[in-house]
Amino acid sequence: MSITLDLSGRIAVVTGAASGIGRAIALTLADAGATVAAVDRNAAGVRETVADLGGLSTPHVADLTDPAAIAALRDEVVRAHRAPDVLVNAAGWDRIEPFLDNDDQLWQDLTAINLLGPVRVSHAFLKPIIAAGTPARIINIASDAGRVGSLGETVYSGAKGGLIAFTKSLARETARYNINVNCVCPGPTETPLLFAVPEKHLEAFKKAIPFRRFGKPSEIADAVVFFASDRASYITGQVLSVSGGLTMSG
């Protein structure tokens, strides 16, 4: 029997969908047939994404550092569609600077967005997903910084490393419900966040990548679509680097 990447009839929630990797994921899931509930705090950006998605996809504006906003988001998505079949935690944020120059507010922001955001969103949506009793996929977008560390991104790396560990533990807890939980770790990717880095640092990043180029958001999205599809039905708790060989962890 042929198993395809066809996601027709599936509902997918994608956070961080207004730009960058999150937007590419939303577009690629929709191209595979999914109806996307696109989430971002950038109202104009997420509406623009949904205009490009077409179909029955919907925009949702939410601050994912606010637990009450996450609960309201879940209820809004379930009312608009139903419990999702796919949940992609793609929202993220970083500021590159030496650890000793950090302040406490930066640490709070980094952990709230990059770790507690996916934790809270997963917790909120798992309740209706489990109640629906149907198979589901959760895909967390972490970072290779969370696997090997990154200069100037010490607390960001810690938050993304926590997200990787969370992915593995959640996969163990939810397997009994036929819910797969996996993680995609992008390397340096062509996003607004990357291009905010000084040019000299960009060139150093590029030279460290065996392919000598940065990743494209669509290449991260392709990995997510695989994990969301039936071709990944027996894969859970795994971490996939999409980094052009920058990291080659066993």
Side-chain angles (χ1 to χ4, degrees), residues 172-250:
R172 292 185 181 276
E173 288 203 29
T174 58
R176 72 192 68 180
Y177 304 111
N178 206 12
I179 297 169
N180 304 57
V181 188
N182 290 292
C183 185
V184 174
C185 285
T189 306
E190 294 176 347
T191 65
L193 188 63
L194 178 71
F195 291 127
V197 174
E199 182 65 30
K200 64 178 181 179
H201 296 311
L202 290 178
E203 287 305 310
F205 286 161
K206 193 177 293 185
K207 288 178 182 177
I209 299 169
F211 282 140
R212 297 295 191 270
R213 69 171 178 86
F214 298 128
K216 296 179 174 59
S218 62
E219 292 172 313
I220 313 304
D222 287 341
V224 171
V225 171
F226 167 69
F227 276 135
S229 76
D230 290 340
R231 287 183 180 257
S233 60
Y234 199 56
I235 301 173
T236 197
Q238 302 305 306
V239 181
L240 175 62
S241 287
V242 183
S243 62
L246 178 62
T247 57
M248 298 185 183
S249 300

Side-chain angles (χ1 to χ4, degrees), residues 37-39 58-62 69-82 125:
V39 181
T58 51
H60 304 270
V61 179
I70 291 171
L73 167 68
R74 174 202 57 209
D75 296 344
E76 183 179 299
V77 169
V78 172
R79 279 197 304 269
H81 303 284
R82 53 174 170 76
F125 277 97

